[in-house]
Amino acid sequence: MAYQVRFVEPDVHYRHLKAEIDSAMQEVLAKGDLVYRSQLKQFEDNLAAFVGTRYAVGLNSGFHALHLSIIAAGIGAGDEVIVPTLTFIATANAVRYTGATPVFADSEARTWNLDPTDVARCITSRTRAIIPVHLYGHPVDMDPLLELARQRGLHIIEDAAEAHGALYKGRRVGSLGEINAFSFYGNKIITTGEGGLLTTNDDALDEKVRFLRDHAMSAEKRYWHTEIGYNYRMTNLQAALGVAQMERIDEFIARKRHIARLYNEGLRGVDSFTLPPEATWATSVYWMYSILLAKDFSLSRDEVMARLHRKNIDSRPFFCPIHVQPPYRAALSLPVAEDLSRRGINLPSAVTLTEADIQRVVGALRKMS
Ligand SMILES: Cc1ncc(COP(=O)(O)O)c(C=O)c1O
């Protein structure tokens, strides 16, 4: 049996980071500085410089980054926040945790991301923010959303959990909204095992998030709390891992783009598959290399995945639209997202994949076409 072409599982991811992990751990342990100091400041400074924002605040997950961003924007019970239905469920859960209501908008077929026309349809007198998600590493077409937000007085919070380094019209994602979330979960391009971060250019938002992540303790008076805060801090150990990897982020992104090029070359011209978008204004980081099966394809998506699995090739289905899932089920039709979700497959995308791995996946798919 051929060895398994794994996905972006932590063990695959960490294998190529062993040297970075070892030296980062040694350094932190030697200093005895486990929490919250020099490496965290370094990681935040590196991220802010990379993304192109004045500030970055390290946190302990992407979900908590989203949660704090919504709170820091002053959003809560009675408010509505527009999110794509085709995203990981954390985007919607973060809104719900603040007491606000997530309102689900459809995707556009050309980028698989939030459709600005559908966002406009979703706006009510209670709407306070829009959270565009750069799905699978491809940036959202931000200008129409930024314009809509300007006209209607809404906040834009980018969910850049899956798109470290992606460019929208030459600007890094995570620098376009007012306050923007990243995840460093084990399968992300930069990983701290668990971890997250917010970026912003706004002094007040930066200060508010730093205050809230640390139990909302007064900077002037120790153990004095003027509101109810959170422990959403990133540890120094996590940050040290991040610092070590930031030195190689351009290499990881180049590798992701190279993998996408190999898949594109291997699958181009096969009518059965739609290859992932890359708009003329976009530089995708292809966090997940993803394809759509043709509408009239003879096999179901699950059957294609099962056949890949029998050849020891791992894959994932697209996210399920959130509006059909039990906590949020609503009598809504969001046809583009529903269709993308039915036909979409994430193929193995780890930076450790070899050319031979990709040829194996391509060969298996071509055989089915
Ligand atoms: C789009 C999106 N938003 C938010 C998150 C949540 O990040 P975390 O797992 O770090 O909480 C994820 C996934 O991990 C994600 O894919």
Side-chain angles (χ1 to χ4, degrees), residues 2-167:
Y3 75 93
Q4 195 179 17
V5 180
R6 295 291 300 276
F7 201 61
V8 284
E9 255 40 336
D11 60 334
V12 172
H13 207 82
Y14 292 155
R15 211 185 321 131
H16 73 292
L17 297 173
K18 189 167 179 338
E20 283 82 352
I21 291 174
D22 285 351
S23 66
M25 294 302 103
Q26 289 312 320
E27 193 179 332
V28 171
L29 293 174
K31 281 189 188 155
D33 184 12
L34 294 185
V35 292
Y36 207 38
R37 277 196 289 271
S38 56
Q39 298 282 348
L40 179 58
K41 167 87 171 68
Q42 182 69 54
F43 188 48
E44 291 175 342
D45 289 351
N46 287 355
L47 252 295
F50 177 76
V51 171
T53 51
R54 288 176 64 197
Y55 304 111
V57 185
L59 301 163
N60 52 10
S61 74
F63 168 70
H64 285 159
L66 284 166
H67 186 215
L68 271 199
S69 69
I70 300 162
I71 292 169
I75 296 167
D79 296 330
E80 291 177 355
V81 177
I82 300 172
V83 301
T85 190
L86 191 64
T87 175
F88 186 59
I89 199 158
T91 318
N93 288 348
V95 175
R96 179 60 70 79
Y97 256 65
T98 68
T101 303
V103 173
F104 299 106
D106 208 352
S107 314
E108 52 175 18
R110 81 189 165 117
T111 63
W112 306 350
N113 279 326
L114 203 49
D115 177 353
T117 310
D118 206 51
V119 170
R121 176 191 66 79
C122 292
I123 294 175
T124 72
S125 58
R126 284 150 52 129
T127 307
R128 301 285 313 284
I130 305 167
I131 306 186
V133 179
H134 307 291
L135 194 72
Y136 303 138
H138 189 287
V140 174
D141 188 2
M142 292 295 293
D143 280 347
L145 293 178
L146 289 164
E147 178 55 21
L148 198 57
R150 198 189 56 76
Q151 285 171 7
R152 307 296 291 263
L154 307 175
H155 301 281
I156 294 269
I157 298 167
E158 288 175 74
D159 182 342
E162 304 179 354
H164 310 177
L167 293 169

Side-chain angles (χ1 to χ4, degrees), residues 139-250:
V140 174
D141 188 2
M142 292 295 293
D143 280 347
L145 293 178
L146 289 164
E147 178 55 21
L148 198 57
R150 198 189 56 76
Q151 285 171 7
R152 307 296 291 263
L154 307 175
H155 301 281
I156 294 269
I157 298 167
E158 288 175 74
D159 182 342
E162 304 179 354
H164 310 177
L167 293 169
Y168 176 67
K169 298 186 179 174
R171 294 165 68 194
R172 295 258 192 235
V173 303
S175 68
L176 305 155
E178 265 170 74
I179 182 161
N180 314 301
F182 286 86
S183 163
F184 303 113
Y185 176 63
N187 60 9
K188 299 301 190 295
I189 293 178
I190 293 292
T191 175
T192 55
E194 295 282 0
L197 179 130
L198 281 169
T199 52
T200 185
N201 287 315
D202 184 304
D203 297 14
L205 286 174
D206 172 66
E207 203 173 299
K208 180 93 187 175
V209 169
R210 286 178 192 281
F211 168 69
L212 288 175
R213 81 171 167 183
D214 195 14
H215 300 287
M217 183 148 66
S218 160
E220 284 80 43
K221 188 170 165 184
R222 202 158 190 91
Y223 306 125
W224 186 254
H225 307 268
T226 48
E227 57 185 286
I228 293 175
Y230 308 84
N231 175 1
Y232 285 177
R233 297 177 303 230
M234 173 180 269
T235 67
N236 215 30
L237 274 168
Q238 289 169 305
L241 276 177
V243 170
Q245 288 165 62
M246 280 306 287
E247 288 178 22
R248 295 180 59 194
I249 189 165
D250 292 336

